[in-house]
Amino acid sequence: MPRTKELIKGVPIPVQPARISRCGMSRAKFAKRQVSGEWYELSNQGRSIGSPTEFDFYMETEGKSPVGTSGARKRELAEV
């Protein structure tokens, strides 16, 4: 993964959000700083919090399975 000088923006939050799963930066709503463990809610209106390489990224999973978010339907077996 190439390093980027782009900074991400966010707002500090006091505790880890509930019902989250790890994801890539493009889908993330939350970030956790790897060194200090501080949590942030990502937002364009927030302040610059650092480089993407300093964080682990997470998305909300409430009501969703943390795997298989493509939206594809399962095929059902039909009785003949």
Side-chain angles (χ1 to χ4, degrees), residues 5-12 33 38 40-52 54-55:
K5 295 185 184 218
E6 179 183 337
L7 296 177
I8 56 174
K9 294 182 178 183
V11 177
R33 189 177 303 273
E38 297 170 305
Y40 297 88
E41 183 171 357
L42 301 177
S43 168
N44 288 332
Q45 282 70 36
R47 63 180 171 91
S48 293
I49 58 174
S51 170
E54 299 174 32
F55 295 90

Side-chain angles (χ1 to χ4, degrees), residues 11-33:
V11 177
I13 54 177
V15 294
Q16 175 180 337
R19 296 185 184 200
I20 57 171
S21 64
R22 197 157 177 194
C23 67
M25 186 176 106
S26 64
R27 301 176 82 183
K29 183 171 180 180
F30 302 101
K32 178 182 177 186
R33 189 177 303 273

